Amino acid sequence: VLLPADYRPRTRLFANGTLTSGLLQGDLVVYGGGDPSWSERSYSIDTLAAGACDSTWTVVDAIAESLRARGLRRVTGKIVGDGSYFEPTLVHWSWDSFDLNWWYAAPVSGLGFHDNSVDFQIAPGGAVDQPPQIAWNPALPMFTFENRARTVPADSGTTIGDNFFRKPGTLDIWAEGTVAITRSPWIESFALPDPNYYAARALQAALQRKGISIEGGAASTTDSMVYRTLRCCGSPIVEYRGRPLPDIIFPILNTSQNWFAEMLLKTLARQVGDTGSWAKGLDVESRFLIDSVKIDSTAFALTDGSGLSAGNLVTPRAFVQLLSYMYRHPRKAPFIAGLPRAQQRGSLFRRFAGTPLQGRVLAKTGSIARVNTLSGYIEKANGSVITFSIQANAHDISNRQMLAQIDSVVVQLAR
């Protein structure tokens, strides 16, 4: 609602040096504009439209091809990922330290690649006491990894999922714990600390695959002053336009892609406010809720963009007010399309099976420790719509039990 309907984030590439006859004597600076969609995950899983899926390398390969088409063949300096479109603070101060290792709390900057996470693919070893098999994607040689885990008998537990670690301030990663020998292969997505370096490394690899040599490796910055003159006075070699706004909204709603939500909040801060920060983004969001939606300022307290922080507080009535406002809004289509629908792909895929509400609940889930929520719409058989919000805070039963209770309330509402 606050961004233009045709909004698409921009990534611009500048030559910090002389570019003559395909030779860049200096650095290639990649100035990110808050585009979260340098990714495969959200589109191979979420997007329902035929042909809409990206691969891990779609965006960086497209940028590399554009540079090659411009004649670039050699860079004597570095590929520099410049994330200064947003504030230099990459990690929210209220997020739990354990969460910082995982995809759902990945650092937030003006650049990013593959949801700023690496996917570790795990399978049991060939025999008990052997290390499990662990590979990763994207397979960029930018961190060290030590496999300290062991394969254990079938009747033993699998604990490796909570035992990936990174030495603070480094790219030294290791895994501990166990994998039951009968366990099916799965993926754990581990966050990396520097989104700008990650994106620069990915582009370096894509350029090298196209025969463009990079002599200085990759680097990163969040200092807005380093390349200020270049950005304000120079012309980009290449400009890449990211996916349209509805494609960014979709994974936020459909499968709770936290990193996309935080990137979009900081984009609001920069586009509608004046600084790409959490504080400014929350100010813009709060003013919208108070002035446009007419929600009482005492009915909510916002801390981040995704809801990962336990400091976010919103009443069910405030959610219903917002949902009612959005349902009436002339530009509601991307919002409604992004909401998970019961028994369809997304976070409600396994919800409401065997009830009269199969396919007729459109709602956003929410969960952190001992909290489960569901807010959205019930489409009744007579064509009317019920708007609802259910929140369970500080409960002491399992998530599965609580979700069943929430779903039973929704079924009763429909009756």
Side-chain angles (χ1 to χ4, degrees), residues 133-152:
Q133 302 172 55
I134 302 178
W136 53 87
N137 177 62
L140 290 170
M142 57 178 289
F143 58 83
T144 65
F145 178 72
E146 183 181 356
N147 183 359
R148 303 178 186 173
R150 285 291 177 268
T151 304
V152 294

Side-chain angles (χ1 to χ4, degrees), residues 99-348:
D99 291 336
L100 300 183
N101 281 339
W102 304 103
W103 66 271
Y104 55 82
V108 184
S109 194
L111 266 177
F113 173 68
H114 196 66
D115 303 350
N116 199 34
S117 301
V118 61
D119 297 336
F120 284 97
Q121 301 151 339
I122 309 168
V128 170
D129 289 333
Q130 288 186 1
Q133 302 172 55
I134 302 178
W136 53 87
N137 177 62
L140 290 170
M142 57 178 289
F143 58 83
T144 65
F145 178 72
E146 183 181 356
N147 183 359
R148 303 178 186 173
R150 285 291 177 268
T151 304
V152 294
D155 57 356
S156 301
T158 294
T159 64
I160 191 175
D162 291 332
N163 285 285
F164 274 76
F165 303 97
R166 180 176 56 81
K167 184 178 179 181
T170 75
L171 283 167
D172 298 333
I173 302 170
W174 72 93
E176 299 177 355
T178 59
V179 177
I181 195 165
T182 53
R183 180 73 155 84
S184 298
W186 80 103
I187 291 174
E188 297 285 353
S189 297
F190 192 83
L192 296 181
D194 187 340
N196 308 299
Y197 178 68
Y198 195 15
R201 264 308 271 111
L203 181 58
Q204 178 190 358
L207 289 168
Q208 289 172 331
R209 284 197 298 270
K210 294 187 181 295
I212 301 171
S213 66
I214 312 297
E215 297 178 7
S220 69
T221 185
T222 57
D223 188 338
S224 62
M225 300 304 293
V226 175
Y227 299 109
R228 182 173 180 271
T229 302
L230 197 64
R231 294 193 305 268
C232 72
C233 306
S235 297
I237 310 172
V238 164
E239 179 173 300
Y240 179 83
R241 291 275 179 171
R243 281 181 169 268
L245 186 59
D247 285 4
I248 296 173
I249 292 171
F250 191 97
I252 295 172
L253 296 173
N254 194 255
T255 53
S256 298
Q257 221 303 350
N258 288 1
W259 188 67
F260 272 53
E262 304 297 351
M263 292 285 278
L264 186 56
L265 180 73
K266 289 194 176 185
T267 295
L268 273 178
R270 184 65 192 260
Q271 291 285 315
V272 182
D274 56 9
T275 306
S277 67
W278 268 294
K280 177 56 68 173
L282 293 171
D283 179 61
V284 170
E285 186 177 352
S286 297
R287 294 318 317 170
F288 167 73
L289 294 174
I290 295 167
D291 297 339
S292 298
V293 188
K294 307 301 181 185
I295 296 176
D296 191 301
S297 62
T298 64
F300 66 90
L302 302 177
T303 306
D304 62 12
S306 64
L308 180 60
S309 170
N312 292 289
L313 302 170
V314 186
T315 68
R317 180 182 293 274
F319 267 128
V320 167
Q321 282 182 260
L322 176 59
L323 288 163
S324 299
Y325 174 90
M326 290 303 301
Y327 201 82
R328 298 189 303 267
H329 199 279
R331 287 172 52 194
K332 69 179 180 181
F335 176 77
I336 299 298
L339 285 173
R341 184 179 285 270
Q343 294 294 289
Q344 293 186 11
R345 283 195 297 177
S347 58
L348 292 185

Side-chain angles (χ1 to χ4, degrees), residues 25-101:
Q25 292 184 311
D27 297 333
L28 179 65
V29 180
V30 188
Y31 181 53
D35 186 354
S37 63
W38 293 28
S39 169
E40 158 185 44
R41 195 183 339 265
S42 293
Y43 304 108
S44 62
I45 294 175
D46 304 340
T47 300
L48 306 181
C53 298
D54 285 343
S55 77
T56 300
W57 299 97
T58 297
V59 174
V60 288
D61 280 346
I63 293 173
E65 185 57 41
S66 295
L67 289 165
R68 181 175 172 79
R70 291 293 304 272
L72 184 66
R73 294 296 181 269
R74 180 184 167 201
V75 177
T76 64
K78 302 180 291 293
I79 306 293
V80 181
D82 182 353
S84 63
Y85 186 72
F86 292 161
E87 65 180 335
T89 301
L90 307 185
V91 174
H92 198 278
W93 53 91
S94 70
W95 292 347
D96 186 270
S97 58
F98 172 80
D99 291 336
L100 300 183
N101 281 339

